[in-house]
């Protein structure tokens, strides 16, 4: 090996060792979050962690299709806060990872919204329902439609049904699958009667899930969001302190304000 390569290898080893030491520090934790409202909530947890536990929380923001699970699995992050258990289970299965949930955060109820009707009984034959197109939230929306007795799904489809699993559709509803972030915009589309939207995308609309929805998930939803880390990291002091910081009255109050009443504490 040349002297240059040896020097480069030594430098890389030192840098990696430095990263490992920081990630193992009981007084420091690097946490992946989604940019926007969810990061605003995490900033409050960061403040609580510093004041109550002397824990330095380094938040790393993600957006678009870039999500924190891969960096968490690879050790670049100590934990993340952005998903619910069904999403984690699907992601672990798809990627062969073994990330684990270590604490609940909030239920952000998915709900159906409309500028054309006020209640389910006003739906007409052939109306269009817009739902998210990603597998997890698509399944979640279909289960919500089934809860409202608007469709019937095949038995034993679990938490990830698709439109091909619809066995009964009495009103012949047209199901339009679109990107979750675009759903608030289609409320103004003359062809769409109801859009099923997750709380994450409501901030710019001023809509309140409890007050403004036509129908909504109940508090027993399996889609409570979670704090996630690696199996070998689940009992680390910095992870445990971060969980306590997040599951605090200060964070619950902040989430209630930031999400306009649309965040239900899941702990």
């Amino acid at each position: 090996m040349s002297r240059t390569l040896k020097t480069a290898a030594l430098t890389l080893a030192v840098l990696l060792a430095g990263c490992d030491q920081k990630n193992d520090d009981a007084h420091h934790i690097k946490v992946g979050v989604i940019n926007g409202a969810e990061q605003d909530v995490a900033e409050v947890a960061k403040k609580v962690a510093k004041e109550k536990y002397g824990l330095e929380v380094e938040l790393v923001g993600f957006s678009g299709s870039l999500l924190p699970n891969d960096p968490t699995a690879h050790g670049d992050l100590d934990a993340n806060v952005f998903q619910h258990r069904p999403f984690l289970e699907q992601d672990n299965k798809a990627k062969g990872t073994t990330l684990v949930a270590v604490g609940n955060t909030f239920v952000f109820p998915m709900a159906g919204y409309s500028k054309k009707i006020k209640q389910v009984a006003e739906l007409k034959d052939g109306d269009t329902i817009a739902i998210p197109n990603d597998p997890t939230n698509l399944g979640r929306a279909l289960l919500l439609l089934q809860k409202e007795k608007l469709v019937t799904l095949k038995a034993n489809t679990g938490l990830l049904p698709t439109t091909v699993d619809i066995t009964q559709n009495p009103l012949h509803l047209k199901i339009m699958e679109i990107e979750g972030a675009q759903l608030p915009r289609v409320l103004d589309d003359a062809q769409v009667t109801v859009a099923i939207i997750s709380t994450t995308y409501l901030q710019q609309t001023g809509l309140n899930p409890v007050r403004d929805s036509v129908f909504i998930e109940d508090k027993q939803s399996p889609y409570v969001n979670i704090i996630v880390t690696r199996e070998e990291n689940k009992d680390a002091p910095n992870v445990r302190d971060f969980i306590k910081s997040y599951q605090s009255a200060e964070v619950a109050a902040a989430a209630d304000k930031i999400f306009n009443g649309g965040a239900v504490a899941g702990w």
Side-chain angles (χ1 to χ4, degrees), residues 72 76 102 136 142 147-148 161 163 170 173 184 189 214 232 257:
T72 303
D76 299 314
V102 290
T136 302
L142 290 175
K147 173 179 171 288
E148 296 300 317
T163 52
L173 298 172
D189 189 326
V214 179
E232 67 273 16
K257 182 176 180 180

Side-chain angles (χ1 to χ4, degrees), residues 142 146 150-157 161-172 175:
L142 290 175
Q146 178 169 252
L150 293 172
V151 301
T152 301
L153 302 170
K154 289 178 185 175
N156 303 316
T157 55
T162 67
T163 52
V164 299
D165 295 312
I166 296 174
T167 58
Q168 294 182 46
N169 182 358
L171 288 177
H172 307 100
I175 308 297

Side-chain angles (χ1 to χ4, degrees), residues 151-219:
V151 301
T152 301
L153 302 170
K154 289 178 185 175
N156 303 316
T157 55
L159 296 175
L160 294 172
T162 67
T163 52
V164 299
D165 295 312
I166 296 174
T167 58
Q168 294 182 46
N169 182 358
L171 288 177
H172 307 100
L173 298 172
K174 298 172 184 174
I175 308 297
M176 176 190 293
E177 301 177 25
I178 65 174
E179 185 181 350
Q182 304 302 318
L183 285 164
R185 300 180 185 178
V186 303
L187 289 172
D188 294 316
D189 189 326
Q191 303 302 315
V192 175
T193 305
V194 174
I196 298 181
I197 309 171
S198 66
T199 309
T200 302
Y201 299 113
L202 289 183
Q203 277 61 60
Q204 277 73 44
T205 70
L207 293 170
N208 178 292
V210 176
R211 183 186 66 234
D212 301 317
S213 61
V214 179
F215 49 85
I216 187 171
E217 287 179 325
D218 57 33
K219 293 181 180 180

Side-chain angles (χ1 to χ4, degrees), residues 13 15 29 31 34-35 69 103 140 171 174 179 199 214 216 227 234-235 238 246 248 251 257 260:
L15 288 172
I29 189 168
V31 181
I34 301 301
N35 292 328
N69 273 350
R140 185 177 179 180
L171 288 177
K174 298 172 184 174
E179 185 181 350
T199 309
V214 179
I216 187 171
I227 298 167
K234 64 182 181 181
D235 294 318
N238 56 354
Y246 206 103
S248 63
V251 170
K257 182 176 180 180
N260 193 27

Side-chain angles (χ1 to χ4, degrees), residues 7-108:
T7 301
L10 179 60
T11 301
L12 178 59
V14 170
L15 288 172
L16 289 174
C19 289
D20 288 343
Q21 288 169 5
K22 190 172 186 181
N23 287 344
D24 291 338
D25 186 353
H27 301 293
H28 175 274
I29 189 168
K30 185 183 288 189
V31 181
V33 295
I34 301 301
N35 292 328
E38 293 182 35
Q39 182 163 354
D40 293 341
V41 173
E43 290 287 353
V44 179
K46 175 179 178 177
K47 185 172 184 288
V48 172
K50 177 66 173 177
E51 293 176 351
K52 291 188 176 181
Y53 306 105
L55 178 66
E56 294 286 350
V57 178
E58 181 181 350
L59 297 176
V60 181
F62 290 76
S63 62
S65 60
L66 296 175
L67 296 174
N69 273 350
D70 285 349
T72 303
H74 295 146
D76 299 314
L77 298 173
D78 299 303
N80 67 59
V81 186
F82 79 96
Q83 65 199 309
H84 43 58
R85 281 178 174 81
F87 183 94
L88 176 62
E89 290 172 7
Q90 181 191 35
D91 205 49
N92 272 338
K93 184 177 180 180
K95 297 174 181 175
T97 50
T98 56
L99 296 174
V100 295
V102 290
N104 290 350
T105 61
F106 296 94
V107 177
F108 298 102

